[in-house]
């Protein structure tokens, strides 16, 4: 563990990316204290203004403060991404472990189900689900979890398979340890670091996906603030006011780059290569 | 070879069956009655009599399995029903929108190959040098960039400011440039790194040393031996990405108002045009699976080891 810590600290990009993530987390946690204005306050008299002392990044087509909306958008984007990841893991970890550990027909059935679910392009399946459930943040989260869990469950199953034949598990079995205890005390600790790396390597992708859905108009509904939606809102005005679309895009890019770098550094530090 | 193809084809049957089942079930998860949705989309007031009559007409009064069998039978004959919105056949609409999407995807594939091949090669040869570092940064940005934002940046700088390309729509060759660049951008980064990694791996193989011992020139070794072998994973990946790109067009087509499958899908979702959602999903699912199958077969042509393993 000490070694891992040292490796992480010596990684320059890692330091930068974790700082960005830290700042973004602060923005997501305390927007009311950090945002200069009310993000949803419409004031047509101030529409499409440049930067000023009252509106540091200017205003959008409804006269709302862009900076405040960006800050509140952090909460939506990051919060949703972590919620999606968390819920996905709550399904994937138990199911993946169960299929991998149990083996036999359970595993066979599980793998065939994966084959079928993974036969669809994931973006399309999520979109179709949203189409059927109706747009909205809750349905977006539900659709993403329902589509994505299968990928992670399959990877986790693979991890379990490689651990389960090792001697310490056999030893535990010989000692008559109950299955549940083996799973919780031996298998879970053996795979958890790989799962954490997996989560951090992919969370950037989830942020991207959420902003894409919001951009298409299927995510958070007005007047809530979300980066993808802000870009969508800026469509009719971006020829004259490009900053409207520039800032939210930059936020997405920065966050996704930071998470990807962090995930990669974490993987290198823990010495794991993804299958 | 024939055996391998037959085996892969038979493994396709349960998957296709599963795809059709999921697509069918999905529609029946719909909150509310499809008949009411149909009437709403047609601007007919959903009275009790109208709903009851329509339920009979659409076959919604039958048990679920009977509906599935009937639907599947029709789907096999390419009858995917009528769009609630346009009142045209779903299959005809899909065919109308499929070609522009394929065109866009092919153009993007060409761009990916043309751009990532040289960059990947150069960064493998000059590993750790400035070129390699630069290509790493580009690759990192390209996979982290939201496609819709990149599309807008291209429109703003190349179309609006410099007036080099048309902003929206489909028509001339120039219309194709920005959408295909947007679609391919994320993949360019991935494939540059993939080719680099694969080449670096192969550069240390004994056959390279042997070629050097034979006195072959470095350039010849790279182009004739290393590149050829390193292209394998890139080609397989590209085949698989082709299916993914077909779904990625949803966003690019929305940004550039490209009249393809993605637009059709988004419009049908926004209008709750259920037969169209179902039809598009089924169609894209099948295309995706077929793409992966073709990749597998192509791969077994290129790499006989796969074929032998399949025959064992």
């Amino acid at each position: 563990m000490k070694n891992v810590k040292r490796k992480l600290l010596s990684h320059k990009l890692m330091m930068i990316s974790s700082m960005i993530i830290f700042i973004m987390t602060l923005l997501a946690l305390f927007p009311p204290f950090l945002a200069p204005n009310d993000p949803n306050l419409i004031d047509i008299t101030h529409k499409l203004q440049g930067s000023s002392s009252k509106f540091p990044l200017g205003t959008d087509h409804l006269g709302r403060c862009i900076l405040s909306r960006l800050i509140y958008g952090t909460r939506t984007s990051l919060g949703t991404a972590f919620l999606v990841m968390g819920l996905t893991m709550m399904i994937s970890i138990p199911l993946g472990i169960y299929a991998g550990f149990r083996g036999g027909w359970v595993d066979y059935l599980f793998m065939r189900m994966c084959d079928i679910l993974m036969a669809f392009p994931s973006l399309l399946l999520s979109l179709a689900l949203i189409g059927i459930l109706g747009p909205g943040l809750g349905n977006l989260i539900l659709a993403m979890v329902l589509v994505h869990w299968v990928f992670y469950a399959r990877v986790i199953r693979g991890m379990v398979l490689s651990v389960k034949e090792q001697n310490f598990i056999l030893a535990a079995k010989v000692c008559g340890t109950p299955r549940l205890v083996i799973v919780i005390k031996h298998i879970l600790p053996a795979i958890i670091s790989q799962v954490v790396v997996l989560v951090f390597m992919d969370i950037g992708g989830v942020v991207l996906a959420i902003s894409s859905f919001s951009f298409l108009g299927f995510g958070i509904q007005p007047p809530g603030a979300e980066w993808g939606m802000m870009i969508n809102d800026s469509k009719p005005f971006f020829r004259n006011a490009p900053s409207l679309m520039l800032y939210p895009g930059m936020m997405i890019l920065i966050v996704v780059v930071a998470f990807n770098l962090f995930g990669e550094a974490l993987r290198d530090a823990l010495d794991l290569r993804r299958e | 070879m024939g055996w391998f193809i037959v085996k892969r084809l038979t493994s396709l049957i349960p998957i296709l069956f599963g795809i059709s089942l999921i697509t069918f079930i999905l529609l029946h998860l719909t909150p509310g009655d499809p008949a009411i949705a149909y009437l709403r989309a047609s601007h007919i007031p959903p009275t009790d009599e109208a709903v009851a009559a329509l339920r009979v007409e659409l076959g919604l009064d039958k048990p679920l399995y009977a509906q599935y069998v009937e639907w599947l039978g029709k789907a096999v004959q390419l009858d995917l029903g009528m769009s609630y919105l346009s009142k045209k056949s779903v299959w005809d609409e899909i065919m109308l929108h499929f070609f522009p999407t394929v065109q866009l995807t092919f153009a993007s594939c060409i761009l990916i190959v043309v751009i990532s091949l040289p960059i990947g090669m150069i960064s493998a040869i000059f590993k750790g040098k400035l070129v390699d570092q630069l290509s790493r940064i580009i690759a990192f940005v390209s996979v982290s960039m939201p496609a819709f934002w990149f599309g807008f940046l291209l429109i703003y700088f190349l179309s609006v400011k410099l007036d080099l390309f048309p902003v929206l729509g489909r028509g001339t060759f120039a219309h194709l440039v920005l959408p295909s660049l947007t679609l391919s951008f994320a993949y360019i980064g991935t494939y540059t790194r993939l080719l680099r990694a694969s080449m670096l791996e192969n550069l240390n193989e004994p056959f390279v040393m042997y070629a050097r011992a034979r006195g072959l020139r470095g350039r010849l070794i790279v182009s004739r031996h290393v590149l050829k072998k390193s292209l394998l994973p890139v080609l397989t990946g590209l085949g698989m990405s082709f299916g993914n790109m077909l779904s990625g067009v949803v966003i690019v087509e929305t940004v550039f108002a490209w009249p393809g499958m993605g637009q059709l899908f988004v419009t049908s979702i926004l209008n709750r045009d259920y037969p169209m959602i179902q039809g598009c999903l089924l169609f894209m699912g099948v295309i995706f699976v077929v793409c992966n199958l073709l990749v597998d077969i192509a791969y077994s042509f290129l790499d006989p080891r796969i074929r032998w393993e399949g025959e064992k």
Side-chain angles (χ1 to χ4, degrees):
Chain A
M1 204 58 211
K2 220 175 174 182
N3 195 18
V4 169
K5 217 168 150 189
R6 208 188 62 226
K7 267 190 192 166
L8 283 180
L9 286 176
S10 66
H11 209 301
K12 233 186 280 167
L13 284 173
M14 169 77 194
M15 290 306 291
I16 300 172
S17 61
S18 33
M19 248 159 63
I20 296 174
I21 293 173
F22 179 70
I23 294 171
M24 289 294 172
T25 315
L26 281 186
L27 290 182
L29 287 177
F30 309 109
F33 304 106
L34 298 166
N37 296 298
D38 179 352
N40 298 327
L41 184 71
I42 295 171
D43 180 5
I44 293 293
T45 54
H46 284 106
K47 73 171 181 182
L48 297 176
Q49 282 187 347
S51 61
S52 60
S53 57
K54 187 160 191 287
F55 304 108
L57 294 179
T59 58
D60 69 359
H61 60 290
L62 294 175
R64 294 174 295 192
C65 170
I66 293 181
L67 181 64
S68 305
R69 287 183 73 71
L70 283 180
I71 292 174
Y72 272 87
T74 320
R75 173 178 271 186
T76 325
S77 297
L78 288 193
T80 315
F82 275 102
L83 202 60
V84 166
M85 239 349 173
L87 290 173
T88 307
M89 284 301 144
M90 275 163 71
I91 302 176
S92 303
I93 293 177
L95 271 178
I97 291 182
Y98 186 66
F101 191 64
R102 179 73 200 267
W105 65 271
V106 174
D107 190 36
Y108 180 81
L109 211 68
F110 170 78
M111 287 305 280
R112 295 296 81 76
M113 201 170 71
C114 288
D115 283 345
I116 292 168
L117 279 176
M118 285 163 83
F120 290 101
S122 56
L123 180 78
L124 280 190
L125 196 56
S126 315
L127 267 178
L129 270 174
I130 295 172
I132 277 156
L133 298 167
L137 200 57
N139 288 341
L140 168 70
I141 294 171
L142 187 65
M144 286 192 70
V145 172
L146 283 178
V147 172
H148 283 97
W149 71 267
V150 59
F151 293 88
Y152 297 101
R154 229 174 90 132
V155 176
I156 290 167
R157 168 195 169 268
M159 294 172 187
V160 173
L161 280 187
S162 66
V163 170
K164 141 177 139 164
E165 300 301 331
Q166 286 181 19
N167 285 337
F168 68 96
I169 304 286
L170 281 179
K173 272 187 188 163
V174 171
C175 294
T177 320
R179 275 190 198 165
L180 194 67
V181 178
I182 295 185
V183 166
I184 292 172
K185 280 222 154 152
H186 301 290
I187 291 192
L188 205 57
I191 63 168
I192 199 72
S193 59
Q194 296 180 58
V195 175
V196 171
V197 170
L198 194 65
V199 166
F200 276 101
M201 299 242 353
D202 284 6
I203 193 104
V206 176
V207 172
L208 265 188
I210 291 169
S211 64
S212 305
F213 285 125
S214 305
F215 168 74
L216 291 171
F218 299 129
I220 188 170
Q221 298 301 306
E226 205 276 346
W227 300 331
M229 198 182 73
M230 288 172 74
I231 296 180
N232 191 25
D233 284 347
S234 75
K235 254 196 281 188
F237 314 99
F238 85 92
R239 280 155 193 266
N240 303 320
S243 59
L244 238 56
M245 103 153 134
L246 224 51
Y247 295 130
M250 243 140 52
M251 291 295 273
I252 302 175
L253 185 64
I254 291 171
V255 167
V256 178
V257 165
F259 274 120
N260 285 350
L261 279 175
F262 186 82
E264 234 179 54
L266 200 64
R267 183 195 62 191
D268 291 346
L270 291 167
D271 237 353
L272 300 167
R273 286 272 155 195
R274 201 165 172 181
E275 289 162 55
Chain B
M1 190 69 218
W3 181 236
F4 178 79
I5 295 177
V6 168
K7 218 172 134 186
R8 268 309 263 114
L9 276 176
T10 40
S11 73
L12 210 63
I13 296 169
I15 292 184
L16 286 177
F17 187 71
I19 288 180
S20 73
L21 198 63
I22 287 188
T23 315
F24 178 78
I25 293 172
L26 217 53
L27 198 76
H28 286 268
L29 288 176
T30 321
D33 195 334
I36 296 178
Y38 179 89
L39 290 173
R40 289 233 170 87
S42 320
H43 303 292
I44 302 170
T47 57
D48 286 348
E49 298 86 63
V51 170
L54 191 67
R55 285 183 68 86
V56 175
E57 193 190 318
L58 296 175
L60 294 169
D61 54 336
K62 291 181 196 149
L64 216 53
Y65 68 88
Q67 285 185 46
Y68 173 66
V69 172
E70 193 182 335
W71 174 78
L72 190 62
K74 280 187 180 165
V76 171
Q77 299 168 49
L78 307 182
D79 175 8
L80 296 170
M82 289 284 195
S83 157
Y84 288 174
L85 200 66
S86 65
K87 302 279 179 286
K88 285 185 196 140
S89 142
V90 169
W91 176 257
D92 291 348
E93 291 267 313
I94 288 178
M95 282 297 106
L96 203 66
H97 290 83
F98 187 53
F99 178 69
T101 295
V102 172
Q103 185 189 23
L104 188 57
T105 314
F106 261 116
S108 307
C109 277
I110 293 170
L111 272 181
I112 293 173
V113 172
V114 169
I115 298 174
S116 33
L117 220 61
I119 301 183
M121 253 172 81
I122 291 170
S123 40
I125 294 168
F126 299 100
K127 187 192 166 200
K129 301 272 166 60
L130 186 69
V131 192
D132 186 29
Q133 300 288 352
L134 267 178
S135 94
R136 178 158 187 242
I137 294 172
I138 294 173
F140 226 99
V141 171
S142 91
V143 292
S144 310
M145 181 89 91
F148 51 94
W149 190 57
F150 184 63
F152 278 135
L153 288 184
L154 288 180
I155 293 180
Y156 183 71
F157 288 109
L158 298 182
S159 300
V160 177
K161 286 274 155 192
L162 299 175
D163 203 18
L164 290 176
F165 298 101
V167 179
L168 300 171
R170 175 171 175 262
T172 60
F173 181 73
H175 281 92
L176 194 60
V177 178
L178 295 188
S180 47
L181 196 59
T182 309
L183 185 57
S184 56
F185 190 57
Y187 296 93
I188 287 173
T190 314
Y191 285 108
T192 308
R193 300 311 283 177
L194 189 66
L195 181 66
R196 175 187 174 274
S198 159
M199 278 189 68
L200 284 178
E201 207 174 282
N202 288 326
L203 275 171
N204 291 324
E205 294 275 326
F207 72 84
V208 176
M209 206 200 287
Y210 175 61
R212 274 192 219 284
R214 273 158 62 205
L216 290 182
R217 265 180 305 145
R219 199 182 295 166
L220 203 69
I221 298 175
V222 169
S223 64
R224 198 167 285 174
H225 297 280
V226 178
L227 186 65
K228 203 170 149 193
K229 189 158 177 259
S230 310
L231 276 179
L232 261 183
V234 176
L235 282 181
T236 340
L238 206 58
M240 271 152 50
S241 298
F242 189 81
N244 264 322
M245 267 190 259
L246 282 178
S247 64
V249 292
V250 173
I251 288 156
V252 178
E253 284 179 2
T254 311
V255 172
F256 290 94
W258 187 267
M261 286 294 291
Q263 281 248 317
L264 185 68
F265 197 52
V266 171
T267 323
S268 66
I269 289 175
L270 285 174
N271 292 299
R272 301 215 155 193
D273 186 352
Y274 295 120
M276 193 58 99
I277 299 177
Q278 202 177 24
C280 286
L281 190 65
L282 183 70
F283 183 77
M284 295 298 256
V286 172
I287 293 286
F288 192 61
V289 171
V290 170
C291 276
N292 288 347
L293 172 82
L294 292 179
V295 172
D296 267 10
I297 294 175
Y299 200 44
S300 74
F301 263 115
L302 295 170
D303 190 346
R305 283 171 299 184
I306 310 271
R307 209 154 65 217
W308 295 334
E309 232 158 68
E311 277 165 17
K312 251 182 229 165

